[in-house]
Amino acid sequence: MRALVVTPRQPRSARVTDVPDPRPSADEVLVRGVRIGLCGTDHEINEGLYGSAPEGSEVLVLGHESVGRVERGTADLPDGTYVVGIVRRPDGCPNCAAGEPDMCLWGRFTERGIGGLHGFGSEWWAERPEYVVAIPDALAGVGVLLEPLTVVEKVVRHAFLIQRRLRWEPKRALVAGAGPIGVLGAVLLRLRGIEVTVFERTEKAERRALLARIGAAYAATGATPLAEIVAGAGPIDLAVEATGSGAVGFALIEHLGTNGVLGLTSVSGGDATAEVPVARANRLLVLGNRAVFGSVNANRADFEQGVRDLGAAQGRWPGFLGALITSRVRLGNAAPAVTHDPRQIKVVVELGGP
Ligand code: BGC
């Protein structure tokens, strides 16, 4: 079968090639690949900065944002069901054993399409039922957005868990970054009735218009300083950083309201440094009970909540989720698509499955 692969650590090695068909074991379902979405992590893997192949393989099949269709299933996952694969596999540490591999302690987890396990970017794949999540047929077209959505599902779930330290009724949120994670974060927060302002550096008229459809405000720091944007929005109860830049995360501390919480999602590559006003930032954190946390990956609960929220978003803003998929390529033409293109929101690779 054909698959989209890279040679890990070799820059710009993405290519479509033949790989062996999956041979599902007795406890696995066989899935026909329908499509995958590409994200910044795939770009970094294709730049040679990140990622590792499974043991004994020279290549890594890409794809951790998936939709497939069960070809040979079980009583609970009948043939024909649309499914999305969960990314991370546990390593046996106490947190993994408790069903929270996203909070892994030992760091020996593997991730499909990222580290140590082949991804879902192939015509067929196999997986154990506990690592796939069924989605309704009506969500098959936008199901590739489920995995990126889970990244912010976890951030929002954890923000609410952290804020159980006080009486907290978040009214206003600030989202840094208008890429897929930022926009999906805005969707989640709007579904929860929170006012949202999304900002990025350079104004993109089409992002402003898109976000207006879900009642989220948009601003560009190229035109308006962040302090002014925040002053216009009002005190920020929850901030989510989704720009890819570590510097933005630290800068956001200054813009959090009293008792506010900031969740960081960027896996910022490289070794950039920046000057931080530590006395002021520390004072704000202490005197205003502000909290900052990092968040990676997501667990099954976030995928299940994500399915409900995708359905709610489809119902409330018909066509919105589909509009986030700005480019579709066939598997045979997928290799050049594994590079960052700022004009795109979500690039999707069609794997041939129905
Ligand atoms: C994926 C996560 C993964 C993280 C780090 C992200 O792109 O969505 O599932 O844990 O990269 O590898």
Side-chain angles (χ1 to χ4, degrees):
M1 65 166 180
R2 289 178 312 153
L4 177 61
V5 306
V6 292
T7 303
R9 307 285 155 180
Q10 190 180 301
R12 283 169 290 283
S13 62
R15 60 199 184 274
V16 174
T17 184
D18 276 319
V19 299
D21 287 348
R23 273 186 280 145
S25 54
D27 61 351
E28 287 181 323
V29 293
L30 177 66
V31 177
R32 179 79 171 99
V34 175
R35 57 184 69 89
I36 55 165
L38 297 173
C39 80
T41 300
D42 299 300
H43 303 151
E44 289 205 339
I45 294 172
N46 192 32
E47 289 302 320
L49 300 172
Y50 199 61
S52 58
E55 247 181 60
S57 171
E58 275 184 13
V59 301
L60 169 72
V61 175
L62 282 180
H64 61 278
E65 303 178 353
S66 63
V67 171
R69 199 157 191 198
V70 175
E71 177 81 10
R72 212 160 60 229
T74 62
D76 291 340
L77 271 180
D79 297 358
T81 309
Y82 284 103
V83 289
V84 171
I86 292 176
V87 179
R88 194 177 276 197
R89 298 294 164 273
D91 66 5
C93 82
N95 287 4
C96 284
E100 298 207 312
D102 57 317
M103 304 304 283
C104 179
L105 290 166
W106 293 346
R108 295 200 284 267
F109 59 82
T110 48
E111 290 182 329
R112 285 199 68 159
I114 301 176
L117 289 177
H118 284 318
F120 305 105
S122 50
E123 291 174 298
W124 300 91
W125 44 272
E127 189 48 274
R128 282 164 53 178
E130 70 247 50
Y131 298 127
V132 300
V133 177
I135 59 170
D137 291 2
L139 290 180
V142 295
V144 276
L145 300 174
L146 177 59
E147 195 281 338
L149 178 67
T150 64
V151 170
V152 264
E153 287 283 1
K154 177 178 168 185
V155 171
V156 171
R157 180 169 61 85
H158 276 212
F160 274 86
L161 285 170
I162 290 165
Q163 295 297 77
R164 286 177 66 181
R165 66 196 174 125
L166 71 150
R167 201 188 64 81
W168 194 59
E169 289 168 359
K171 294 191 175 49
R172 264 169 240 98
L174 182 66
V175 176
I181 301 284
V183 174
L184 289 169
V187 166
L188 267 195
L189 295 163
R190 291 299 300 133
L191 282 175
R192 282 160 187 60
I194 298 172
E195 282 173 29
V196 181
T197 302
V198 179
F199 75 90
E200 60 183 337
R201 206 173 346 183
T202 317
E203 165 89 27
K204 291 194 193 78
E206 107 280 350
R207 296 296 152 104
R208 179 186 286 283
L210 195 67
L211 286 158
R213 285 170 65 177
I214 59 166
Y218 172 95
T221 49
T224 316
L226 187 51
E228 228 174 274
I229 296 167
V230 172
I236 301 300
D237 304 305
L238 169 61
V240 178
E241 192 287 317
T243 63
S245 154
V248 175
F250 278 83
L252 278 178
I253 294 172
E254 294 215 44
H255 300 283
L256 267 185
T258 301
N259 300 340
V261 60
L262 161 62
L264 309 174
T265 72
S266 294
V267 184
S268 43
D271 333 279
T273 57
E275 211 166 281
V276 179
V278 285
R280 189 178 142 72
N282 184 74
R283 193 164 61 237
L284 285 168
L285 289 172
V286 171
L287 295 182
N289 296 300
R290 293 166 176 86
V292 182
F293 69 101
S295 177
V296 70
N297 197 250
N299 70 40
R300 188 170 183 103
D302 301 304
F303 278 80
E304 286 171 355
Q305 183 60 45
V307 175
R308 291 190 283 275
D309 284 329
L310 280 184
Q314 280 279 63
R316 184 149 161 205
W317 304 293
F320 179 83
L321 295 172
L324 303 185
I325 299 173
T326 47
S327 168
R328 286 178 193 274
V329 295
R330 286 174 194 277
L331 177 57
N333 305 327
V338 199
T339 43
H340 178 61
D341 177 350
R343 292 164 306 176
Q344 303 298 342
I345 302 179
K346 181 56 69 187
V347 175
V348 156
V349 179
E350 298 290 341
L351 300 170

